Amino acid sequence: IDKKTYKKDDCIMTFSTDKDGVYTSADRLLPYGTYEIVETKSPEGYTSKGVTKHTFSVREDGKMYDLTAKDVISNTPVTGNFDIIKLTSGAESKFDKPEEGVEFTAILDSKIGEGKSFATWDEAYAAIKAAGVGNDVKEDGIVILSKNEYTVITTDAEGYAKSTDLVYGTYTVRQTSHFTETQDITEGAQFVVSEENQPTMHFRANNAPIEYY
């Protein structure tokens, strides 16, 4: 190759994929033989786990071998989760009570904004509800928000709820239901998945009562 001779198991070249995860070699780069591709660095947001080696053989002159199938080289994404304790209390000092049946939703920030899958967080939330919680959100048959890029959770009798595993990225968490006698939490919380095996992030939420005069 390039007038060099290699022995078995020698590294003959190193290359990197582009922003779309694709690499195309030069024409007629490899002579007749059997080769192994080994991933030596995982892409951002993915672990080193998964299918990181693939063997293929060059047997036809001038043929471009397509190795872009998902089962050729694929990584397991970095994931993380969070939980919430929902409490309710009046203005006076006392022990808070857990609140059951309150919904919270987290959506991946990179899917929202100008030129993205959704213009606003509320638009994304409406699309999730229309698709059915736990399903991929699709447009014209194409997934625009996967089920691992959002979560919708509801507190139990102990006021507790835990998210599903979410992929690498930054999320905005909002309260998406409340009881009529309490005020909305108007600001969202930020949740970040940044590394493999990161601990569960904990939130405590409390709605102030509506005061009537």
Side-chain angles (χ1 to χ4, degrees), residues 36-108:
E36 183 180 53
I37 296 175
V38 179
E39 182 183 78
T40 53
K41 181 181 179 182
S42 302
E44 183 180 4
Y46 291 84
T47 72
S48 58
K49 300 173 184 176
V51 182
T52 58
K53 297 181 180 181
H54 181 76
T55 300
F56 72 102
S57 298
V58 174
R59 295 291 185 264
E60 297 180 37
D61 183 44
K63 179 177 179 178
M64 178 66 74
Y65 290 84
D66 185 358
L67 306 178
T68 58
K70 290 184 178 180
D71 59 348
V72 173
I73 298 290
S74 62
N75 298 87
T76 303
V78 171
T79 60
N81 56 49
F82 66 89
D83 60 17
I84 292 176
I85 293 290
K86 178 65 178 72
L87 304 170
T88 182
S89 66
E92 70 276 11
S93 298
K94 63 178 182 179
F95 289 105
D96 293 337
K97 296 184 296 184
E99 191 169 14
E100 181 180 8
V102 179
E103 181 187 89
F104 294 87
T105 301
I107 304 173
L108 184 64

Side-chain angles (χ1 to χ4, degrees), residues 102-105 121 125 152-153 174-178:
V102 179
E103 181 187 89
F104 294 87
T105 301
W121 194 97
Y125 175 70
V152 180
I153 55 178
R174 291 187 181 179
Q175 183 180 351
T176 41
S177 78
H178 72 286

Side-chain angles (χ1 to χ4, degrees), residues 136-204:
D136 293 334
V137 178
K138 298 180 180 180
E139 184 176 75
D140 298 327
I142 298 173
V143 175
I144 58 174
L145 182 70
S146 82
K147 60 185 178 182
N148 298 317
E149 295 173 330
Y150 76 89
T151 190
V152 180
I153 55 178
T154 304
T155 56
D156 61 16
E158 303 300 320
Y160 179 80
K162 186 175 183 178
S163 76
T164 54
D165 285 339
L166 298 169
V167 297
Y168 181 91
T170 300
Y171 295 77
T172 296
V173 185
R174 291 187 181 179
Q175 183 180 351
T176 41
S177 78
H178 72 286
F179 294 100
T180 56
E181 295 301 311
T182 58
Q183 301 176 38
D184 281 333
I185 299 175
T186 55
E187 293 186 2
Q190 188 179 80
F191 167 64
V192 180
V193 179
S194 60
E195 59 186 16
E196 188 177 5
N197 300 320
Q198 71 180 46
T200 298
M201 185 173 182
H202 306 292
F203 293 99
R204 289 169 63 90

Side-chain angles (χ1 to χ4, degrees), residues 107-114 116-122 124:
I107 304 173
L108 184 64
D109 286 353
S110 62
K111 294 290 183 175
I112 299 168
E114 186 177 354
K116 304 292 181 63
S117 298
F118 308 97
T120 65
W121 194 97
D122 289 335

